[in-house]
Amino acid sequence: MGIVSTITGAFGFGIGVSIGLTMGYYFFIYFQPSHVEDPKVRPLVERDAKSLQQMLPEIPLWVKNPDHDRVDWLNKFIELMWPYLDKAICNTVKTIADPIIKEKIPKYKIDAVEFDSLSLGSLPPTFQGMKVYTTDDKELIMEPAFKWAGNPNIHVAVKAFGMRPTVQVIDLQVFASPRITLKPLVPSFPCFCQILVSLMDKPHVDFGLKLLGADLMSIPGLYRFVQETIKDQVANMYLWPKTLVVPVLDPAKAMKRPVGMLHVKIIRAMKLKKKDLLGASDPYVKLKLTEDKLPSKKTAVKYKNLNPEWNQEFNLVVKDPQSQALEIIVYDWEQVGKHDKMGMNVIPLKEVTPDEPKAMTLELLKNMDPNDTQNEKSRGQIMIELHYKPFSDDQLPVDGEENMIEKAPEGTPKGGGCLVVMIHQAEDLEGKHHTNPAVRVLFKGEEKKTKPVKKNRDPRWDEEFLFMLEEPPTNDKMHFEVISSSSRMGLIHPKETLGYVDIHLGDVVSNKRINGKYNLIDSRNGKLQVELQWRTSS
């Protein structure tokens, strides 16, 4: 009886499976429609609240926020470069981490911490969008939305107490919204001095840890504790307004900021050769530093004298003592026509010992070409005194403080100072006949002028001028006039004014620095950006 039941049950099971498969094919495959419609694509505005809520985390920032730009090109670039970026980043991490680890592990009685393997995996990070800011200061601000769900291969071995356990990092996810600031912008490659990084929100960091094959994050309470600890520690270090500063260039060298003062005393000249056919010459001296846009300094004219004596002193601002040189040229003054050059010489500042006065007697040459035989001809001598005084450390800009107000150079009159004027740019300039703008600066009878920019309604100059003053200009004002000169030899409209503005300097004295855009008078929409700094010796 048992054998019959077994045979019958097996026979029934086989028949039942066959009938079930046949019915399944009949109902679920045979009756499936042969025509499949394309899915309907619906705009976001037609979605209901529930579906939108589900989709919201996956919508890129450039869709949700119109002030964020789409950066697909950047994601494509990173995707193609990722195999090389992976190796470069990992090598940098090892270089930075190794000395830090060696310094810290003795406190915990650990013999060594080593990377058995370090790779960020094959999945690159992506940027969901980027916002770019522009300010009146010399800086560029970017806010990218950063997401990375990677598959890293990170194995860290810890040697301690005769054991060597290995910890593996898996399933790494990092979501962050950093603010990246490039400042200050300078005319030297790569065109910025520092990279400042801040986090606008606490980052989302998620990862797993395996020790001896077991997932440590499965321990109750450990996962949440590790996540919150990492978020809090990173936020304490880099959450805005705190920043991570990455130096790229020396601001003092890149921006050619003043690093010292050169005191020059023109004493006398001897045995000058006369240039006039009748009578003696009328010599005077022009001196300036090379690579400097400021006008030359001039001595008084000594009439009908081939052995003139001046005893005049000048102060010149030094920005790069390794490359700059003092250029001295003696001219014969002419009432009409071009002044004749009597001789010249050049002194490289790197040959001048700082803080040591030095008296020199120089031979006057025709030019600085060592192969020119005419330099062998005697043209007289000039006697001068030099004293180069570098600024002290507390007078120089500090890294990360490029807007710091520097002190005036040593030797500035007591109670006086140095007024620094920086002409940055203009906007929406309009000329009736031409727009080749330049800026004239008028102050206490002294005039400075930028170089013209041809055919430009939004010119940028970034030129700097210095005014040495005996007392603070508390009640004074400075006149800025934007002028346009014809680029051709036009006689009908050679010059025209594009607008002007008068800036009161009381705020500069009290605040030490102002930087703003000013509406130009007699201009429809024109604006001029000017930065002023007041540097004192105290």
Side-chain angles (χ1 to χ4, degrees):
M1 190 71 180
I3 296 175
V4 175
S5 298
T6 301
I7 294 174
T8 305
F11 180 76
F13 175 77
I15 294 176
V17 170
S18 301
I19 295 174
L21 290 174
T22 303
M23 293 179 64
Y25 174 81
Y26 186 78
F27 285 108
F28 296 101
I29 297 178
Y30 183 77
F31 275 112
Q32 286 293 324
S34 60
H35 175 69
V36 179
E37 295 182 358
D38 294 332
K40 294 182 179 179
V41 179
R42 297 167 58 191
L44 291 178
V45 293
E46 296 182 5
R47 297 279 183 176
D48 55 38
K50 185 177 180 180
S51 61
L52 278 177
Q53 190 68 27
Q54 294 175 347
M55 296 173 59
L56 196 60
E58 304 302 326
I59 297 177
L61 274 179
W62 59 267
V63 176
K64 295 185 288 187
N65 300 324
D67 57 349
H68 281 71
D69 297 324
R70 187 173 181 176
V71 286
D72 290 344
W73 64 270
L74 180 58
N75 292 325
K76 187 65 175 179
F77 172 79
I78 294 176
E79 179 184 355
L80 297 175
M81 291 293 294
W82 185 244
Y84 309 97
L85 290 172
D86 177 20
K87 294 180 181 179
I89 294 172
C90 291
N91 291 335
T92 304
V93 169
K94 286 182 179 179
T95 303
I96 297 175
D98 284 343
I100 298 176
I101 292 174
K102 291 179 181 178
E103 180 183 354
K104 298 294 183 181
I105 58 176
K107 300 179 182 178
Y108 304 98
K109 298 182 179 180
I110 298 175
D111 297 331
V113 176
E114 301 172 346
F115 289 100
D116 282 353
S117 61
L118 178 59
S119 173
L120 301 180
S122 59
L123 300 177
T126 59
F127 290 89
Q128 303 298 307
M130 183 180 296
K131 185 176 182 179
V132 179
Y133 297 87
T134 57
T135 67
D136 289 343
D137 292 331
K138 297 179 180 179
E139 62 183 8
L140 177 65
I141 303 175
M142 300 176 289
E143 288 186 3
F146 171 84
K147 287 188 177 183
W148 182 35
N151 55 344
N153 181 23
I154 303 174
H155 291 78
V156 182
V158 181
K159 290 182 179 180
F161 307 106
M163 298 184 294
R164 192 178 184 275
T166 301
V167 179
Q168 180 184 4
V169 180
I170 58 174
D171 300 331
L172 178 63
Q173 293 185 1
V174 180
F175 302 159
S177 298
R179 171 176 288 180
I180 303 172
T181 304
L182 309 179
K183 62 185 295 188
L185 302 180
V186 295
S188 302
F189 190 81
C191 300
F192 54 87
C193 292
Q194 295 173 336
I195 304 175
L196 287 77
V197 182
S198 298
L199 295 174
M200 305 311 294
D201 297 298
K202 285 187 177 182
H204 169 77
V205 181
D206 190 5
F207 59 91
L209 289 177
K210 281 189 175 182
L211 178 62
L212 302 176
D215 189 0
L216 294 179
M217 290 303 177
S218 62
I219 300 176
L222 180 61
Y223 174 80
R224 184 175 181 83
F225 172 76
V226 172
Q227 300 296 319
E228 294 301 324
T229 301
I230 292 177
K231 290 180 182 179
D232 291 340
Q233 290 297 324
V234 174
N236 289 337
M237 292 187 295
Y238 304 122
L239 190 63
W240 189 87
K242 297 180 180 179
T243 59
L244 169 65
V245 180
V246 181
V248 178
L249 297 175
D250 184 353
K253 294 182 179 180
M255 300 185 69
K256 299 295 184 182
R257 291 184 177 274
V259 296
M261 181 65 67
L262 180 67
H263 300 272
V264 184
K265 183 177 182 180
I266 305 297
I267 302 175
R268 64 173 64 91
M270 296 85 69
K271 301 178 181 179
L272 297 178
K273 304 303 178 182
K274 66 177 184 177
K275 288 289 184 179
D276 297 335
L277 296 177
L278 302 175
S281 298
D282 306 319
Y284 72 95
V285 181
K286 289 178 66 174
L287 63 155
K288 68 172 298 183
L289 290 174
T290 56
E291 303 178 15
D292 198 341
K293 297 179 181 179
L294 297 177
S296 302
K297 306 285 187 179
K298 297 180 182 180
T299 67
V301 178
K302 298 298 181 179
Y303 297 98
K304 298 181 181 180
N305 195 335
L306 296 179
N307 296 281
E309 185 170 341
W310 290 281
N311 289 316
Q312 286 186 245
E313 298 183 12
F314 303 92
N315 292 327
L316 303 175
V317 178
V318 178
K319 295 184 178 181
D320 189 353
Q322 295 302 314
S323 63
Q324 287 185 290
L326 175 64
E327 183 179 83
I328 300 173
I329 306 177
V330 181
Y331 285 95
D332 178 20
W333 181 83
E334 298 290 344
Q335 187 172 4
V336 179
K338 184 179 179 181
H339 299 180
D340 294 324
K341 181 179 174 182
M342 303 182 72
M344 68 171 297
N345 211 318
V346 173
I347 306 170
L349 295 188
K350 61 183 179 182
E351 298 178 2
V352 179
T353 304
D355 294 318
E356 289 186 11
K358 184 177 183 180
M360 307 176 69
T361 300
L362 305 174
E363 293 290 334
L364 294 176
L365 308 174
K366 180 181 180 181
N367 53 53
M368 298 309 298
D369 184 0
N371 298 320
D372 193 340
T373 57
Q374 295 192 29
N375 284 328
E376 299 176 0
K377 181 180 178 181
S378 176
R379 300 173 184 274
Q381 298 86 33
I382 186 168
M383 182 182 295
I384 64 172
E385 288 183 1
L386 300 179
H387 190 184
Y388 173 52
K389 295 183 179 180
F391 293 156
S392 58
D393 292 338
D394 60 346
Q395 294 174 306
L396 292 174
V398 181
D399 289 346
E401 299 181 5
E402 67 286 340
N403 288 329
M404 173 183 175
I405 304 303
E406 304 158 14
K407 293 183 179 180
E410 206 172 307
T412 301
K414 187 176 181 180
C418 176
L419 181 62
V420 183
V421 181
M422 283 166 276
I423 311 294
H424 289 306
Q425 62 181 345
E427 299 175 0
D428 297 328
L429 299 178
E430 295 182 17
K432 294 182 180 179
H433 308 287
H434 43 73
T435 304
N436 306 309
V439 179
R440 292 174 64 233
V441 183
L442 302 177
F443 182 65
K444 290 185 175 291
E446 190 173 355
E447 178 179 339
K448 312 282 188 179
K449 186 178 178 181
T450 67
K451 294 181 179 179
V453 180
K454 292 184 179 180
K455 298 180 180 179
N456 198 322
R457 294 184 55 196
D458 301 298
R460 175 175 285 275
W461 297 280
D462 288 326
E463 293 192 33
E464 178 179 304
F465 305 106
L466 301 178
F467 295 88
M468 303 296 293
L469 304 178
E470 299 287 337
E471 58 183 16
T474 307
N475 300 316
D476 296 313
K477 62 182 180 180
M478 183 171 287
H479 180 78
F480 297 86
E481 183 180 4
V482 183
I483 59 174
S484 175
S485 300
S486 176
S487 58
R488 301 175 181 177
M489 298 299 293
L491 300 178
I492 300 178
H493 305 291
K495 292 183 180 180
E496 62 177 307
T497 299
L498 305 183
Y500 70 93
V501 63
D502 293 325
I503 300 178
H504 294 273
L505 303 179
D507 290 340
V508 183
V509 176
S510 58
N511 298 326
K512 301 301 182 183
R513 174 181 178 267
I514 61 173
N515 184 8
K517 292 183 179 179
Y518 299 88
N519 294 317
L520 293 173
I521 301 174
D522 290 344
S523 175
R524 183 181 301 175
N525 300 308
K527 294 181 180 179
L528 179 66
Q529 183 183 350
V530 177
E531 182 178 353
L532 301 169
Q533 292 185 11
W534 172 244
R535 303 172 186 170
T536 59
S537 56
S538 57

